[in-house]
Each structure stands twice: as C-alpha cells, then as structure tokens.
Amino acid sequence: VAAADTQEFVVKEIVSHLGQPAKFKAMQFEVWWEGYPNDKENNTFLPWSELRNNEALHRYCLAQGKRFHQVIPYRFRPKKKT
C-alpha cells in the first residue's frame, strides 16, 4: 500500500487582483505562497471562490480601502463601531 503525499500550500499574502469589487465573485487574486519567492513564476492567480474564507484575502481587502470591504464575506467583516 502506497501512501499518497499530501502537500499543503499556505497563502502568505495576496499581492494583486484582477477585476472590480462590484463584481467580486468574478475577481482573481494573485497569491504569494509561503516558502516560495514572490514572483510571477511562483505566484498563482486564484478565483475569489477559493480564497473567500482566507485571512490573507481579508487583510488584503481591508488594506485596499472601503470599496473592497464587500469582497469579504459578512461573517469575517470587521464589526462596525457604534
């Protein structure tokens, strides 16, 4: 019986995006992977649907400004100050 290798890739940071926040479900995000150089050869573009629950995406969106907050699923959005 051969054991299958399971390789886990960890998102270090989101470095760029394609698309507009108003159509966030169609957006693509450039992922910098933990343990790899931050360059076009190693980075990968992934769709919002694969990253929506990822903390690195949430940090990236918060850093982009208020119009990107809608890209973060409701349960992960920062609480509004009252």
Side-chain angles (χ1 to χ4, degrees), residues 5-49:
D5 287 328
T6 56
Q7 193 170 18
E8 184 175 310
F9 294 94
V10 176
V11 176
K12 180 170 186 167
E13 190 175 321
I14 304 296
V15 295
S16 70
H17 67 276
L18 300 172
Q20 298 299 318
K23 297 181 180 181
F24 63 87
K25 290 183 179 180
M27 291 182 76
Q28 299 271 321
F29 296 89
E30 184 179 2
V31 176
W32 173 10
W33 299 103
E34 188 73 45
Y36 292 86
N38 181 12
D39 58 29
K40 298 296 180 190
E41 186 176 313
N42 291 292
N43 293 357
T44 308
F45 274 92
L46 293 177
W48 172 83
S49 62

Side-chain angles (χ1 to χ4, degrees), residues 48-60:
W48 172 83
S49 62
E50 291 186 31
L51 293 166
R52 66 179 178 240
N53 297 325
N54 189 285
E55 189 177 327
L57 175 66
H58 306 161
R59 285 192 309 268
Y60 177 81

